[in-house]
Amino acid sequence: MTRAGFVTIVGKPNAGKSTLLNRLVGERLAIVSPKPQSTRDRVVGILTDESSQIVLFDTPGLLEPRFALHRAMQHAAQKAIADADLIVHLVDASEDVPTDLTALAGLPQAPKAPVLLALNKVDRLSAARRAEFAERYPLAVQLAGGAGQGVDELLASIRAQLPESPFLYPEDDVSTQHLRFFVAEFLRESVLEQLEDEVPYGVAVEIEEFRETTDPVYIRAVLHVERDSQKRILIGAGGSRIKSLGQETRRKIEPLIGKPVFLDLWVKVLGNWRRNAASLERLGYKLPPANPA
Ligand SMILES: Nc1nc2c(ncn2[C@@H]2O[C@H](COP(=O)(O)OP(=O)(O)OP(=O)(O)O)[C@@H](O)[C@H]2O)c(=O)[nH]1
Ligand SMILES: [Mg+2]
């Protein structure tokens, strides 16, 4: 008898969802950043042992949508919630207290799947504060997903609540995403690491070409920005910034691809892409239907 199911990790931006996914799967699948709103779409991680298979969905942080990209991000989280057999609601306990998930996710009604509350970043809390949380939220798991504290307990709770089912994916799979996706995400992570303030938020990555049979592997990626001023920043003086973004990203993707990579980077202006439905679609972000039934 095996258990298997879809487990969706949700929470506010920066709660530590992607860090937790990586820790659970034991691979760096999702990009992580101290800046909020780093995850923009669903990321899948698969964790299989002899008797269970957990298909994890990492999601964009839940926020009040201000423009089209935010609506696409909220929609991705809502879909992952609808697909879930179990939801892990992750709260950064060092900054926040749990709030109502239905309202936070902008849902018309409570999700069908059971919700497991997990209080994260407890490594930042005093013993007294942890005890207070334990008393107030007796069913919540206390975690420090970054360091791995409490992760076994969370896994045990998840496994106990998975439906009985045959495995959904081959036992050796750790994700369902293709290499292209990881290349685009790691490039965006490098942008989050190297650039300040608003710049990373205006960057979207498109992989235009991916030739795996050549040596080195040839990848052409476009960094789309919203304005000329952002383009200048991304290129940097004498091309210094784009060069270092390329170097950093190659360092991350070459172990994944297993071969040397020639990463051909371009920066283009796609005016106001975050607010434009056609641009978002082209970049692979799915907006909710305009008039939901
Ligand atoms: N102290 C501490 N920091 C953590 C922990 N987990 C994650 N972090 C840090 O919190 C920041 C955000 O982590 P992410 O995993 O990117 O958070 P997220 O919820 O995926 O964020 P979005 O994708 O923007 O919604 C990073 O700087 C992490 O290193 C933890 O258990 N303790
Ligand atoms: Mg994330």
Side-chain angles (χ1 to χ4, degrees), residues 72-251:
M73 288 162 62
Q74 187 189 55
H75 183 56
Q78 289 172 340
K79 278 197 299 183
I81 288 173
D83 290 343
D85 294 301
L86 177 67
I87 296 162
V88 175
H89 179 187
L90 197 66
V91 176
D92 177 351
S94 70
E95 291 276 341
D96 204 8
V97 292
T99 52
D100 176 53
L101 180 59
T102 309
L104 188 63
L107 291 166
Q109 62 211 22
K112 285 198 298 294
V115 179
L116 200 120
L117 184 62
L119 302 172
N120 197 28
K121 306 195 191 180
V122 297
D123 53 306
R124 288 192 182 156
L125 300 185
S126 65
R129 185 80 176 137
R130 289 186 64 164
E132 199 185 311
F133 270 118
E135 196 169 316
R136 259 173 84 188
Y137 307 100
L139 298 178
V141 179
Q142 294 201 5
L143 277 180
Q149 198 187 329
V151 166
D152 287 342
E153 193 190 338
L154 176 71
L155 271 177
S157 293
I158 291 174
R159 289 204 175 101
Q161 294 189 56
L162 283 183
E164 288 179 357
S165 156
F167 288 175
L168 305 162
Y169 293 95
E171 283 177 39
D172 293 338
D173 287 9
V174 291
S175 184
T176 59
Q177 262 109 8
H178 299 291
L179 274 176
R180 268 178 184 256
F181 171 81
F182 292 110
V183 173
E185 285 293 272
F186 284 132
L187 187 48
R188 214 159 54 71
E189 187 181 58
S190 302
V191 172
L192 279 158
E193 281 162 3
Q194 294 193 19
L195 294 154
E196 298 300 320
D197 307 322
E198 282 301 305
V199 179
Y201 294 103
V203 175
V205 175
E206 184 179 22
I207 306 296
E208 280 197 332
E209 197 172 336
F210 196 131
R211 265 190 266 150
E212 268 185 271
T213 49
T214 56
D215 188 13
V217 169
Y218 175 81
I219 302 172
R220 188 173 62 248
V222 180
L223 295 149
H224 293 285
V225 294
E226 294 197 300
R227 291 188 295 276
D228 268 325
S229 58
Q230 295 169 332
K231 180 172 171 172
R232 280 195 296 277
I233 294 170
L234 272 192
I235 291 173
S240 56
R241 178 57 61 198
I242 195 76
K243 191 169 166 210
S244 93
L245 287 170
Q247 281 167 343
E248 180 61 23
T249 307
R250 258 184 37 220
R251 202 182 53 73

Side-chain angles (χ1 to χ4, degrees), residues 9-22 30-40 58-63 73 90 92 94 119-124 143-149 201:
I9 306 171
V10 292
K12 290 185 187 172
N14 224 37
K17 301 176 292 297
S18 301
T19 304
L20 179 62
L21 176 99
N22 291 345
I31 65 167
V32 165
S33 156
K35 299 189 175 83
Q37 298 178 42
S38 35
T39 308
R40 288 185 184 158
D58 177 23
T59 59
L62 297 166
L63 58 124
M73 288 162 62
L90 197 66
D92 177 351
S94 70
L119 302 172
N120 197 28
K121 306 195 191 180
V122 297
D123 53 306
R124 288 192 182 156
L143 277 180
Q149 198 187 329
Y201 294 103

Side-chain angles (χ1 to χ4, degrees), residues 37 63-71 198 201 274-275:
Q37 298 178 42
L63 58 124
E64 189 69 49
R66 286 193 292 123
F67 44 79
L69 174 64
H70 286 167
R71 284 200 295 283
E198 282 301 305
Y201 294 103
R274 289 189 295 172
R275 295 168 194 274

